[in-house]
Amino acid sequence: MRKAGYKKAAALLLVTSLVAGTALTGCGKKKVDYNMGDDENGGGGGKLASRLDVPESYNGKLEGINADTGLTDVSINATEIEVPDTDKMSVLYYELNNVDNDYKKRVCENIFDVSAGVYVYNWDKPYKEDIQREIDSLQSMMDQATSDDDKSYYEDYMKSLKDQLKTASDTREGAGDYSGDTFIGSVGDNEFMVTFYGSGDDMSTGGGFSLDYYPSDQLIQYRPKDGATSVYCYSSEYSDEEASANTASISAADAEQKGTDFLASCGISDVIETSNFDLLWDYSDASYNTVAAEKNGYMVTYKRSVDGVAPYTPNVYGLDSLSTGDDSVYYDTMDETFQLGIDDNGLISAYCLDSFRATGDKKDNVDLISWDDALKKLPEAVNKYYTDNKTQYSTIEFNDVRLTYYKLKDGDKYTYSPVWVFAQCDKMEDGSLDKDYPIQLIMLDATTGDMIDLKDVLNQQTYDSSVVDSVIDSDSDFDISDDSLIDETDITDTDDADSSDESSADAIDIGDADIDMGDQDTTE
């Protein structure tokens, strides 16, 4: 079962041996390439790992860490160092995508049966037949409800729907010039909703779109099940469900190709598949008790492809060094992800963060620093970053090390540029690293060796082109006093926490909670 990665402690041990006289000591298992080609970084020929003398793994301790950082021990313990399987890396330029009317029209007409009509969804004045259909569905659930609490909830909800019915529209408005943001249309015998979002004053830049069954709370009509009144489908990545094999006729490979073709039809062609999990259907009765679960279809995830490489897109919520003072400032980034739900009928859900478009500009085959040069630069970067951005931990062990691409802002443009990543990640139940959620992170510009200031980068790029400064403070409405949210036995205190020691006392362990934030909107 995949863990969510918000834990503050990793189950790893630090290397304690010291060798005097060097900035970083350790040993690495080298890769061997008997046809290395040109040794010059910019000259091409030979794989990057060989040209840059990158070992397969590395275990060593950093020397020269300043006391001002608050750190007593920093080391690398990487069992695998990831390097793109290519001869070169480049700097590629991008600009914000324009989510204009033509974009919306192209997406909608690649999803809906246009001959059956495409309509604007009016949130303030919904369509009367939609409200009546929801009333009929709710009545069925009310008839099956057994608890007084459920019945009371349904009765209140029914009253609200009947009030809406009084002012609901008798007709739907056609899509017209697609200047709206939400649209309803048909796919076969089912209806779906497409919602577009963006950033900027007119919400036309950045952003992307989502596709959901309509009405979403009546998905049970799409895949009915005896004894069930509702169903929720999601990636099996977030479940320990071992029920059965995938019953879909379509194969995982065909689903991936179908998703790739759909994205290309929407003008999104520079993507690469990064995961493909079974689609899990979780059925509940009127009292929300699970009555059945089955796997049918696939949840395929793609990322932006940068010269055939999926860029580094970490979730930064677990980096306590991003906090300032007593307030916990929320940072987010415009990371591009395209997640498609596909079954035998085709596309049934989509969550697409389509924020950028390539400009065509490119610095090809840039010079890159070697592995040894990266090691020499790392202590300097650690000192600089952690002197200014303190962590609650006293030790760090970088166990996720890679050469990859990362998105940076360059004036009014953006670049995907080569970077060296040194991250510490928690271990999951299966022993693998939760690399999506680092708890410590240092990045070096792979062309110069300079530290990339993560705070500065995040200050320049979020979904609304500004830092999402939602601050949880003493005046916030956010309430964590509910005992059901926090188990006090999992919370202890210490003044000297160790981020690489699984017995670290200063840790709130929510590792046993399965959390899928993919469909949550946390910005305002």
Side-chain angles (χ1 to χ4, degrees):
M1 181 172 67
R2 184 183 187 277
K3 294 301 180 183
Y6 294 108
K7 293 178 291 183
K8 294 292 186 180
L12 300 170
L13 296 175
L14 283 176
V15 178
T16 56
S17 59
L18 299 175
V19 179
T22 59
L24 188 148
T25 64
C27 58
K29 182 180 179 183
K30 299 291 185 179
K31 294 182 179 179
V32 179
D33 186 344
Y34 294 101
N35 186 21
M36 292 177 61
D38 193 342
D39 286 336
E40 293 298 319
N41 291 344
K47 297 297 183 182
L48 275 180
S50 294
R51 292 173 49 216
L52 303 180
D53 202 23
V54 183
E56 291 179 347
S57 61
Y58 190 87
N59 191 326
K61 181 183 177 72
L62 269 69
E63 294 289 345
I65 301 303
N66 295 338
D68 292 341
T69 63
L71 299 170
T72 60
D73 230 2
V74 182
S75 63
I76 300 173
N77 185 11
T79 58
E80 178 186 11
I81 299 175
E82 299 179 26
V83 179
D85 186 18
T86 180
D87 292 329
K88 63 181 182 178
M89 296 183 76
S90 305
V91 175
L92 295 88
Y93 288 82
Y94 289 75
E95 60 188 0
L96 285 173
N97 181 25
N98 188 15
V99 185
D100 57 13
N101 295 358
D102 288 338
Y103 179 94
K104 298 172 189 176
K105 182 175 187 290
R106 182 168 61 251
V107 171
C108 284
E109 295 188 355
N110 274 290
I111 294 175
F112 297 136
D113 178 359
V114 178
S115 64
V118 181
Y119 304 94
V120 175
Y121 184 82
N122 189 330
W123 293 94
D124 297 323
K125 198 175 180 66
Y127 183 43
K128 183 172 291 186
E129 288 188 15
D130 290 343
I131 299 296
Q132 186 59 56
R133 183 167 55 175
E134 193 164 359
I135 288 174
D136 294 341
S137 176
L138 184 63
Q139 184 63 57
S140 175
M141 297 179 71
M142 289 178 64
D143 293 341
Q144 298 180 56
T146 56
S147 76
D148 291 338
D149 287 343
D150 290 340
K151 291 178 181 179
S152 176
Y153 168 77
Y154 290 139
E155 287 171 358
D156 290 342
Y157 190 19
M158 180 67 79
K159 182 178 182 303
S160 173
L161 290 175
K162 289 182 176 180
D163 287 342
Q164 292 181 50
L165 189 62
K166 297 174 184 177
T167 58
S169 174
D170 292 324
T171 60
R172 276 192 171 132
E173 177 187 353
D177 64 356
Y178 286 88
S179 57
D181 292 324
T182 306
F183 301 89
I184 299 290
S186 298
V187 181
D189 296 330
N190 300 286
E191 286 187 331
F192 288 85
M193 173 185 283
V194 174
T195 303
F196 295 92
Y197 39 88
S199 60
D201 294 336
D202 60 357
M203 297 294 287
S204 66
T205 55
F209 62 93
S210 62
L211 170 71
D212 298 285
Y213 184 83
Y214 182 77
S216 60
D217 61 355
Q218 295 180 35
L219 185 60
I220 188 69
Q221 304 298 326
Y222 181 78
R223 285 186 62 85
K225 173 76 68 175
D226 289 342
T229 58
S230 63
V231 63
Y232 174 55
C233 70
Y234 54 96
S235 171
S236 61
E237 176 187 13
Y238 302 107
S239 172
D240 58 356
E241 177 62 47
E242 303 290 346
S244 61
N246 198 318
T247 60
S249 297
I250 188 173
S251 68
D254 287 344
E256 178 187 333
Q257 186 59 54
K258 189 178 287 288
T260 301
D261 292 343
F262 165 72
L263 292 174
S265 71
C266 296
I268 307 168
S269 57
D270 51 341
V271 296
I272 184 171
E273 181 264 336
T274 57
S275 68
N276 191 338
F277 289 91
D278 293 330
L279 194 59
L280 184 67
W281 299 80
D282 195 342
Y283 292 91
S284 301
D285 61 19
S287 297
Y288 303 104
N289 299 310
T290 297
V291 296
E294 61 186 28
K295 297 172 183 176
N296 186 285
Y298 303 90
M299 188 68 76
V300 189
T301 301
Y302 308 80
K303 292 287 183 73
R304 182 69 68 193
S305 174
V306 183
D307 271 359
V309 177
Y312 186 53
T313 56
N315 292 284
V316 298
Y317 315 118
L319 300 177
D320 67 342
S321 61
L322 291 179
S323 300
T324 56
D326 294 330
D327 295 329
S328 183
V329 181
Y330 177 91
Y331 288 90
D332 207 346
T333 59
M334 300 174 74
D335 293 331
E336 298 178 286
T337 300
F338 308 86
Q339 190 174 62
L340 307 180
I342 297 170
D343 69 1
D344 291 335
N345 295 324
L347 184 69
I348 58 172
S349 69
Y351 186 74
C352 298
L353 299 177
D354 185 24
S355 300
F356 298 94
R357 282 289 180 270
T359 66
D361 296 328
K362 179 179 182 179
K363 292 180 181 176
D364 193 38
N365 200 9
V366 295
D367 290 340
L368 301 171
I369 64 171
S370 68
W371 169 252
D372 286 342
D373 287 338
L375 289 183
K376 292 175 184 176
K377 288 285 189 177
L378 184 57
E380 176 185 333
V382 169
N383 285 333
K384 182 177 181 181
Y385 181 77
Y386 285 102
T387 296
D388 296 333
N389 307 286
K390 294 295 191 293
T391 174
Q392 64 177 314
Y393 305 113
S394 61
T395 68
I396 295 174
E397 182 180 76
F398 296 119
N399 52 12
D400 176 19
V401 180
R402 64 179 80 183
L403 176 63
T404 185
Y405 284 101
Y406 186 74
K407 180 170 45 41
L408 302 169
K409 200 166 190 299
D410 185 1
D412 60 349
K413 305 290 185 183
Y414 293 81
T415 67
Y416 275 110
S417 301
V419 298
W420 276 106
V421 171
F422 294 88
Q424 177 174 331
C425 307
D426 285 343
K427 275 190 177 180
M428 297 187 287
E429 282 189 346
D430 63 1
S432 63
L433 298 178
D434 193 3
K435 294 183 178 181
D436 290 337
Y437 294 90
I439 59 173
Q440 304 292 345
L441 177 61
I442 290 288
M443 288 189 290
L444 304 178
D445 184 325
T447 65
T448 65
D450 295 336
M451 183 197 77
I452 294 173
D453 190 324
L454 188 57
K455 273 191 177 178
D456 184 58
V457 169
L458 296 177
N459 273 321
Q460 295 182 58
Q461 47 178 298
T462 68
Y463 289 112
D464 62 355
S465 300
S466 63
V467 172
V468 182
D469 55 356
S470 301
V471 178
I472 299 175
D473 54 28
S474 57
D475 298 324
S476 173
D477 293 330
F478 185 77
D479 183 8
I480 60 171
S481 60
D482 191 334
D483 291 340
S484 66
L485 296 179
I486 296 180
D487 183 353
E488 292 182 0
T489 62
D490 286 338
I491 306 176
T492 52
D493 251 342
T494 182
D495 292 329
D496 187 21
D498 180 344
S499 69
S500 64
D501 183 354
E502 65 179 349
S503 65
S504 171
D506 195 3
I508 300 176
D509 185 0
I510 59 173
D512 290 333
D514 289 322
I515 301 174
D516 178 9
M517 298 295 291
D519 292 328
Q520 301 299 315
D521 181 5
T522 54
T523 61
E524 297 193 359

